[in-house]
Amino acid sequence: MIDARRRIPSVEKILESVAFEEILDSHPRNLVLNHLRDEVDRIREYLGSGIDTEDMEDPTLYAKAVRWSLETATSPQLHPVINGTGVILHTNLGRAALARTAIEAMEGSGSYSNLEYDLNTGRRGSRYDHCATLLHELTGAESALVVNNCAAALVLALSTIARGRYVLVSRGELVEIGGGFRIPEIMRSSGALLREVGSTNRTTVQDYLDALKECDTALILKVHRSNFQITGFTEEVTIQDLTKLGKEKGIGVLHDLGSGLMLDPEVLGLPPEPRPVDSLSVGVDLVAFSGDKLLGGPQAGILLGKQELIDQMRRNPLCRALRIGKTTLLALEATLSLYRDSSSAIDKIPTLTMILSEPDKLRKRAETIAGQLSDEGVDADVIEMSSVIGGGTFPGFELESYGIRIQPRQQTVDELAGALRSGIPPLVGRVEEGAFWIDFRTVLEWQDCQVINALCGHIVCAKG
Ligand SMILES: *Cc1c(COP(=O)(O)O)cnc(C)c1O
């Protein structure tokens, strides 16, 4: 018997075949050649293990494989996903979904813009001026600076104000936010020196006073414990008292808030949460927060506060390295301008809309979808669930929600979850108690029909 591998035609010959005409029409020859070589190698290896395959002389076998591998290799790697997890600010799924007006605003990056051009004078302008006026209008902050994310904002502030000098932080606030963000490490990378004060559960004004006596202090940093709580025998110094202390001693105070909530938490049905405006109103020198957490905008780090400090930061060469892109600025400005009217913010910013979605409405949506699925022969129960805000905010806080639960019979739940993840668009849900759960709070309403399509395509029905 001859070696089966010898029956594989040459790469050139395969490429010349009719089966490859269309592929070569729509892809560069070199790319097709590389993919074909890989396929041939794979088949050769497969045959080398002693298994015989028929039809290996047929070019359509190779064409089919190459078409598939080209499609996988040339389709975008980053694409929309349906979030059925019930985690509103899901960090792994890109945190906040943007408002329609923010998406439309980003169209502006398809042409030139006045990004760094002053249209009044015809001279050079600054990209940092665009959102500054709006942020002043919304928060009363003297000045503003927007960089890549909140971590960048902190590194910039610390490096500008406290390089080589001490920054006081309560031991109860040396937090890890996740994704490599730890206060002591951020501090080190900025060149500032960390001086821990107090204990994990209790820090008093006296602790700060003692530290101020002992070291060359440039700044007091207060970090909001976004993602955990400490309860029991605890004490911490309020931002109001810290600001007072800073003023008395001539030391700046920076409040790292993380979440950037603009509206009253009570209006959103949320537990108390410090907001940038609250800290600014007690006279703090600087606040820092994210654009893509509770603000509901694009990834950005926003610094608000004293003009002099903001100007110093703008002049720091590091600011150039952390500078924000025009597409992000367009989306941020559009998001912020929705906050001029809080009801339009609630209606149009998906993060806020999702927080305020009525459980009753979610239940009705779940029932409608379960009904449509049942018509297609897919069994789904409507189920009460609880959603969370996520993104390292509001630990332990849950929102009553509704979704559907599917218990696949002909496949394992992991197989189903895997199949749904590989769909277009992928659907990510929760796998719990041997079932697949989809929480409708985080499914954008226009994606409901995509959920149905995804489930109908991937559930192995008894019926069919
Ligand atoms: C989330 C968070 C950060 C980090 O913000 P990014 O925008 O993700 O860089 C910093 N500080 C606090 C308190 C946070 O909650």
Side-chain angles (χ1 to χ4, degrees), residues 95 149-152 154 177 181 223-224 226 256-259 290 292-293 300 391-392:
R95 282 199 188 151
N149 54 25
C150 187
L154 284 174
I177 303 297
F181 180 100
V223 184
H224 176 48
S226 302
D256 171 18
L257 285 158
S259 81
S290 296
D292 55 353
K293 288 187 180 170

Side-chain angles (χ1 to χ4, degrees), residues 365-403:
R365 261 171 82 195
E367 281 166 2
T368 308
I369 289 168
Q372 282 167 298
L373 284 170
S374 148
D375 293 346
E376 300 293 328
V378 174
D379 287 334
D381 306 321
V382 173
I383 210 96
E384 195 182 329
M385 298 181 72
S386 32
S387 331
V388 295
I389 310 285
T393 62
F394 299 99
F397 178 72
E398 293 180 347
L399 293 158
E400 180 194 346
S401 186
Y402 281 89

Side-chain angles (χ1 to χ4, degrees), residues 56-79:
M56 70 195 53
E57 283 163 54
D58 180 4
T60 55
L61 169 87
Y62 303 94
K64 203 171 143 199
V66 166
R67 208 174 286 127
W68 191 84
S69 89
L70 275 171
E71 195 179 301
T72 317
T74 55
S75 64
Q77 296 293 298
L78 177 63
H79 43 72

